Amino acid sequence: QFLGQGREGDALGGFLKRRRVAAAASADDELWVRVASPCRICTTIMEASTGDATEIVEPSGSIAEAEWSSLLSALAAELGGAAGSSGGVAALGVMGTAPPGCPQDAYAQILRQVAGPRTKVLVDSMADVRRTLQTAAECVGRDGSAEGSIEGGVMLKLNAREIMTLVGREVSGSDSQVAADPAAVAAACAELAASAASSGRTIDYICYTDGPFPGGVYAVGSGRRWQLERGKKLRGPVVSPIGAGDSTAAGTLHAWASSLSTSLPWRAAAGRGEGADPDLGAVEAFRFGLAVGAASCLTG
């Protein structure tokens, strides 16, 4: 990532260094670079009675070409050769929008440098999304097999309306009042996966949220789909929903790339090895991610 200047940038940089030291990693081998632009500030205004939030987001400063090159160099220094020699990093999350000044194919460039057949890639971004998905599919399938590798995979995580928009369809009504039709979303998922195919590979799973309504998982290979409903209320009032989407994506990727997705309720069926069902592993990972996102709403 890029880290801006100023008091806020210094504080965040110090926090990141301490986290790396605590994780027994070198504090000098960061996967981020300082840039000349100031670190932006985002202010959240909460309505305590409803839990609704309004976020005031400062615009990002522009990234210079040399700063973009420095980020790629930092990736090469720490993860150089990962895509070719080791089969790629274990997991890679593509989230949000790159700041102004970055090349249009920024995410694709990063994927080509560090992703490989063993990489679990989760995309939670609308930015140049088809090229990003196509590149991810190419990288995960670069072992030459149309099936990709046993370990790697590509998952898209968006909300239902974003998925419908990508295939030129709309859902009428407010997303807080009107649920998207699961069948229509599944059809849109299939259409989107077909349009993102590259070199015989495409997305493996599409996970979606739908505001206060049930989310879902669509398994592209098998055509199966699941609807995920909230089983009970949160254990406390909503403090802030800001960041819940990113938390959901991070929790999903963490579970999908680790043993967590095989140690939850469907462990036997979702595990690895003979008779395993990787679709259920992906569903369990998204369930875990939704729980992480819900928990994040309980803190500021």
Side-chain angles (χ1 to χ4, degrees):
Q1 68 178 17
F2 297 109
L3 184 58
Q5 300 296 323
R7 181 180 63 184
E8 293 79 16
D10 293 342
L12 180 55
F15 171 77
L16 292 172
K17 285 180 179 290
R18 291 192 298 274
R19 287 295 300 270
R20 287 186 63 80
V21 170
S26 171
D28 296 323
D29 295 332
E30 297 97 355
L31 295 179
W32 47 273
V33 297
R34 296 301 296 262
V35 297
S37 297
C39 187
R40 67 176 181 173
I41 300 173
C42 301
T43 303
T44 302
I45 301 174
M46 291 292 303
E47 170 54 58
S49 63
T50 63
D52 291 337
T54 298
E55 191 174 25
I56 302 173
V57 181
E58 289 187 349
S60 295
S62 185
I63 301 301
E65 184 176 350
E67 293 169 337
W68 169 249
S69 297
S70 294
L71 180 63
L72 292 183
S73 296
L75 289 172
E78 182 148 340
L79 304 172
S85 62
S86 64
V89 297
L92 179 65
V94 177
M95 305 181 193
T97 304
C102 291
Q104 187 176 6
D105 65 339
Y107 291 144
Q109 288 188 38
I110 292 173
L111 281 161
R112 291 190 188 98
Q113 186 159 323
V114 304
R118 78 182 188 96
T119 305
K120 291 281 202 312
V121 179
L122 184 147
V123 178
D124 184 10
S125 172
M126 291 281 283
D128 200 25
V129 64
R130 281 187 172 82
R131 173 158 46 187
T132 300
L133 292 171
Q134 289 170 351
T135 303
E138 291 171 4
C139 291
V140 171
R142 67 164 56 131
D143 61 352
S145 168
E147 297 297 326
S149 86
I150 295 175
E151 299 295 332
V154 181
M155 178 183 289
L156 176 65
K157 178 260 173 189
L158 295 173
N159 67 51
R161 281 167 169 74
E162 288 172 332
I163 292 170
M164 299 290 279
T165 298
L166 286 173
V167 296
R169 303 177 193 172
E170 294 184 0
V171 179
S172 60
S174 167
D175 58 1
S176 64
Q177 301 294 326
V178 180
D181 177 13
V185 176
C189 288
E191 184 177 340
L192 178 58
S195 71
S198 178
S199 303
R201 283 280 295 158
T202 187
I203 315 166
D204 295 289
Y205 302 102
I206 301 179
C207 304
Y208 66 89
T209 56
D210 191 21
F213 304 104
V217 178
Y218 178 78
V220 176
S222 64
R224 292 190 290 175
R225 56 189 171 102
W226 291 260
Q227 190 173 45
L228 304 182
E229 300 183 12
R230 187 174 67 183
K232 56 184 178 182
K233 295 182 178 180
L234 293 176
R235 64 174 182 266
V238 172
V239 176
S240 174
I242 303 300
D246 289 340
S247 297
T248 296
T252 299
L253 181 58
H254 173 61
W256 192 35
S258 69
S259 61
L260 284 178
S261 64
T262 61
S263 61
L264 294 169
W266 288 333
R267 181 174 183 176
R272 298 174 182 173
E274 186 176 355
D277 187 340
D279 288 355
L280 296 184
V283 173
E284 282 297 300
F286 190 46
R287 290 182 68 206
F288 179 84
L290 290 171
V292 173
S296 76
C297 294
L298 303 177
T299 61

